[in-house]
Amino acid sequence: MTTGVGVPWVEPDAIAPAATGMLARTQRTLRRDPAALFGSFVLFVFLLTAALAPWLAPNAEQGRGATDVGARELAPSWAHLFGTDHLGRDMLSRVIFGARPALLVAVAVVLLAVLVGVPLGMVAGFRGGRIDELLMRITDLFLSFPPLLLAMVITAVLGPSLIHASLALAVSWWPWYARLARGVTQSLRQAPFIDAARVFGVREPIILLRHILRNATTPILVQATVDAGTVILAIGSLSFLGLAAQPPTPDWGLMVANGRTSVVTEWWIATFPGLAIFLTTLGLNLLGDAMRDILDPRSAT
């Protein structure tokens, strides 16, 4: 059944079975794939840690940057489970507070890249011709630079800060989403249901939003989840080089940089924030693989 403009009509009672089917696929995927379950658990722990940082941190003030030079460079103990850094700050508190900027930057960068890249890719793939050629040549120009190198150059020009680093990473990331959206759009623009929508006079923006974008949601979400982990690794690299977060911001990459000169004697200063980066990135990558199975109905067996 269709509406008067040729858009498929979805019965209200069909929404519940669809949600139930997705829930069933989620449960089945988590049961069959221990890696997906582990990734989901890790991400949940870090999200909870970021949300409850002021209450979970043993010393919230030190987590924000307060110093205690009388307790500097203490090894891990019951008093300081992760030890203390060169300024006497509790490393466990610093790592807990570091989850906030890491996850916020990951979400901000991926969201900006999606908001810029997906519409441009959809327009290029749907229109074709000179518009497609122009937009794709601009995309190729950005893709010709390694993403991290381009982000380093942009951040160096704008000035070292977490906001500038986030914008720089978004600038270097959007072309990948443009390419992804263009590929999906090109594969669908001649589909029968798109032709039917054109015949019934449905406007191009409505076709793009209601038909093309809906079918592109799954690959975009999967790619965004995986990219969020890569962004955390990239922002940590920029912080390590002094181009992103600045002291006393509780940033994992900055903590690793502060502990690199004493990694043999005070190993805990760089090790624990490095493990946080590793686990978060791993969890997001594993979750991205699981989301592909959950969101794709063809994976149901």
Side-chain angles (χ1 to χ4, degrees):
M1 180 178 179
T2 61
T3 64
V5 293
V7 178
W9 173 262
V10 179
E11 296 291 343
D13 293 340
I15 297 177
T20 303
M22 182 172 292
L23 179 61
R25 287 198 300 273
T26 301
Q27 295 174 341
R28 182 166 55 249
T29 299
L30 293 179
R31 284 198 305 267
R32 293 179 177 179
D33 190 354
L37 182 61
F38 174 76
S40 303
F41 173 75
V42 168
L43 184 59
F44 173 76
V45 168
F46 277 103
L47 287 172
L48 191 65
T49 298
L52 303 179
W55 297 276
L56 292 178
N59 193 317
E61 291 304 315
Q62 291 184 5
R64 295 187 180 97
T67 61
D68 181 12
V69 292
R72 58 193 300 269
E73 298 175 355
L74 296 179
S77 64
W78 286 114
H80 301 281
L81 293 179
F82 286 6
T84 61
D85 63 8
H86 302 308
L87 296 177
R89 296 173 295 197
D90 181 66
M91 284 301 301
L92 177 57
S93 300
R94 298 285 288 171
V95 170
I96 289 175
F97 270 87
R100 286 185 162 186
L103 294 174
L104 283 175
V105 167
V107 172
V109 170
V110 171
L111 184 60
L112 284 173
V114 168
L115 291 177
V116 174
V118 170
L120 291 178
M122 289 171 58
V123 170
F126 195 79
R127 286 289 186 87
R130 292 183 178 180
I131 293 179
D132 182 31
E133 187 71 19
L134 174 62
L135 292 177
M136 286 304 100
R137 293 299 74 77
I138 295 175
T139 301
D140 291 340
L141 178 63
F142 281 89
L143 290 175
S144 64
F145 296 93
L148 188 57
L149 178 60
L150 180 60
M152 290 170 59
V153 172
I154 296 174
T155 307
V157 172
L158 295 177
S161 76
L162 201 56
I163 294 177
H164 291 165
S166 301
L167 291 174
L169 286 173
V171 169
S172 63
W173 237 275
W174 72 264
W176 302 100
Y177 290 95
R179 282 287 185 182
L180 177 61
R182 175 179 179 262
V184 174
T185 304
Q186 284 186 324
S187 67
L188 292 174
R189 67 180 180 181
Q190 301 300 332
F193 66 92
I194 299 295
D195 291 336
R198 288 196 185 101
V199 169
F200 280 97
V202 180
R203 292 180 300 169
E204 181 178 310
I206 301 300
I207 294 176
L208 289 174
L209 289 174
R210 185 168 294 179
H211 299 294
I212 304 295
L213 183 59
R214 182 177 296 178
N215 284 277
T217 299
T218 294
I220 289 172
L221 283 177
V222 172
Q223 187 64 41
T225 305
V226 175
D227 281 348
T230 309
V231 168
I232 290 177
L233 188 60
I235 201 70
S237 301
L238 292 176
S239 295
F240 182 87
L241 297 172
L243 295 174
Q246 301 297 304
T249 304
D251 181 87
W252 292 336
L254 192 58
M255 296 178 210
V256 174
N258 291 336
R260 71 184 186 279
T261 57
S262 57
V263 70
V264 176
T265 53
E266 288 86 36
W267 55 268
W268 56 89
I269 298 177
T271 299
F272 291 115
L275 281 175
I277 295 174
F278 168 74
L279 287 174
T280 310
T281 304
L282 177 64
L284 285 165
N285 277 272
L286 294 175
L287 183 60
D289 291 338
M291 285 184 65
R292 182 177 57 248
D293 298 332
I294 293 169
L295 295 175
D296 186 359
R298 292 170 297 183
S299 66
T301 58

